[in-house]
Amino acid sequence: MAHTAAPAWPEPEPLDPLTAPVPRYGSGSLADLLPAIVAGQGLTDLSAQMELAPADRACVFLIDGLGWELLRAHPDEAPFLTSLLGTSCNGSGRPLTAGFPATTATSLASVGTGLPPGAHGLPGYTCENPDTGALMNQLRWQPWTDPHAWQPYPTVFQLADAAGIHTCQVSAPHFQQTPLTKIALSGGTFHGRLSGEDRMDLAAEQLAAGDRALVYTYYAEVDGNGHRYGVDSDAWRGQLMYVDRLAQRLAEQLPPRSALYITADHGMIDIPFGPDSRIDFDEDWELRAGVRLLGGEGRARHVYAHQGAAADVLAVWREVVGDQMWVASREEAIAAGWFGPHVDDRVRGRIGDVVAAAHADMVIIATEREPRESEMVGM
């Protein structure tokens, strides 16, 4: 009797980096919002390709962590915001796309400068500073780096203020002096207010303070509760209900000739705790082999290789996680446009030798290097 071997399970094919969805830089990304707004106020120095109905007075309300899909999934908690979905992008009903990676520091820099990450140079939560070899946290700005050397371009707020548009930011007081605010969101006057209601009321008041006005306001706790407790938690839902009332409060106070734009910096998903969904870099010898620094965050990793090891690191990461993440070399990620149509020379070295972007509902945590981030529920 002949013996027939059992068929081997086929090895999963790694995802092709060219199949990753690229942000709509130039036509519908976060970086295009402010240039399109100020173009309608007569400031045409920026190459705004996205069209918005012109308004003399414009307010941008950024809700940290509230992505399009999250809002669509929770209409009962956010009836006012849900009612606005069809008006998105000049009535097209389409969402803006965040840049890559969709993390707060990168997205806020894109909003404020009107530039994609490859130009403004904040390409992730953490990235290597090529001048020092240190891992730079671009949200907490550690270790200290000269902010204006790191991001040299003017913000749209600064350009609007110089053009005579009444410009201000209304946010929590502790954000006023942060390096991220200085290089991404400064220009005009900063007004610190603790409560959400005070911010909404003052934003409406400031809109009416000039014939042309550009006002930015911000709320953080939807994001904070999502990271801590997850977007399936009562705490997160409570914050969504609260921010929905804030948005309606602001909308009901808009002065004449005004437009209100409500957006976010990224969305969020809950990642189950367990080895199938959370791969611990600090305990995985294969992923660590040849790696000098691990940057980015759990769902968008910059991987910096030891000299001469980049090709091997790329091959191993594709073999180990390539069926769950788009894994690209630096050159492939840049050529595919992940960071925008152009990457400045000063920014190239900040991008990992290998860049890994999650496709599946999983993360690569690092329990020793990043204990706080590794404990987050929402990612």
Side-chain angles (χ1 to χ4, degrees):
M1 180 181 291
H3 174 73
T4 304
W9 291 105
E11 289 291 325
E13 285 288 323
L15 297 166
D16 183 348
L18 292 177
T19 65
V22 177
R24 297 199 308 275
Y25 298 119
S27 61
S29 77
L30 276 176
D32 304 304
L33 178 59
L34 281 182
I37 289 173
V38 297
Q41 297 175 322
L43 182 56
T44 57
D45 297 348
L46 301 168
S47 55
Q49 298 179 43
M50 185 174 75
E51 292 187 2
L52 294 174
D56 294 333
R57 297 161 171 156
C59 180
V60 174
F61 181 18
L62 194 143
I63 303 170
D64 200 320
L66 181 60
W68 178 268
E69 298 299 338
L70 277 178
L71 182 55
R72 288 182 60 192
H74 295 87
D76 293 340
E77 290 85 353
F80 177 72
L81 291 171
T82 300
S83 73
L84 304 180
L85 287 174
T87 70
S88 181
C89 287
N90 223 22
S92 69
R94 299 178 66 197
L96 290 178
T97 60
F100 178 79
T103 193
T104 296
T106 304
S107 291
L108 292 187
S110 290
V111 169
T113 64
L115 298 170
H120 64 60
L122 279 70
Y125 175 62
T126 61
C127 70
E128 182 181 19
N129 181 343
D131 295 334
T132 65
L135 200 62
M136 162 75 170
N137 186 308
Q138 298 177 108
L139 189 62
R140 301 192 179 101
W141 220 262
Q142 297 170 345
W144 174 259
T145 303
D146 179 357
H148 296 291
W150 193 257
Q151 198 299 99
Y153 293 103
T155 71
V156 179
F157 299 108
Q158 290 167 337
L159 296 174
D161 183 57
I165 298 171
H166 177 72
T167 306
C168 71
Q169 301 80 33
V170 183
S171 192
H174 64 269
F175 289 125
Q176 181 170 5
Q177 299 300 330
T178 67
L180 184 59
T181 294
K182 290 182 182 299
I183 58 93
L185 302 168
S186 64
T189 306
F190 185 99
H191 300 274
R193 293 294 185 273
L194 283 174
S195 79
E197 289 84 1
D198 286 348
R199 284 178 224 161
M200 300 304 104
D201 296 347
L202 183 57
E205 180 183 313
Q206 288 296 313
L207 268 181
D211 289 334
R212 294 183 302 164
L214 176 63
V215 176
Y216 168 88
T217 189
Y218 172 82
Y219 187 75
E221 285 308 305
V222 173
D223 176 79
N225 279 267
H227 284 315
R228 282 189 292 272
Y229 308 114
V231 297
D232 196 32
S233 67
D234 289 341
W236 184 86
R237 289 190 177 91
Q239 281 296 319
L240 178 57
M241 294 167 67
Y242 176 64
V243 85
D244 189 68
R245 294 193 296 270
L246 289 183
Q248 185 169 4
R249 181 186 185 108
L250 175 55
E252 289 174 349
Q253 297 184 73
L254 294 179
R257 310 193 324 273
S258 297
L260 171 60
Y261 298 97
I262 303 171
T263 191
D265 52 349
H266 59 78
M268 193 177 295
I269 61 172
D270 291 349
I271 302 294
F273 285 85
D276 292 339
S277 301
R278 293 174 180 249
I279 300 172
D280 191 346
F281 175 86
D282 288 328
E283 295 184 358
D284 193 305
W285 65 268
E286 287 184 290
L287 292 182
R288 291 200 315 272
V291 175
R292 179 172 49 86
L293 286 175
L294 179 71
E297 45 87 18
R299 292 180 55 76
R301 284 296 183 186
H302 289 284
V303 187
Y304 303 92
H306 286 288
Q307 187 171 1
D312 291 337
V313 170
L314 176 64
V316 169
W317 276 63
R318 277 193 174 146
E319 181 179 349
V320 175
V321 296
D323 61 328
Q324 298 177 286
M325 306 182 86
W326 290 283
V327 180
S329 68
R330 174 190 292 134
E331 290 72 23
E332 288 171 333
I334 291 174
W338 289 11
F339 299 96
H342 173 76
V343 173
D344 286 4
D345 288 343
R346 77 178 211 290
V347 180
R348 293 183 71 91
R350 301 177 191 178
I351 297 170
D353 296 296
V354 174
V355 185
H359 168 68
D361 290 356
M362 55 80 70
V363 290
I364 294 180
I365 58 173
T367 52
E368 295 178 16
R369 291 167 173 81
E370 302 169 353
R372 288 177 55 190
E373 292 86 346
S374 298
E375 293 174 353
M376 294 193 304
V377 179
M379 297 280 188

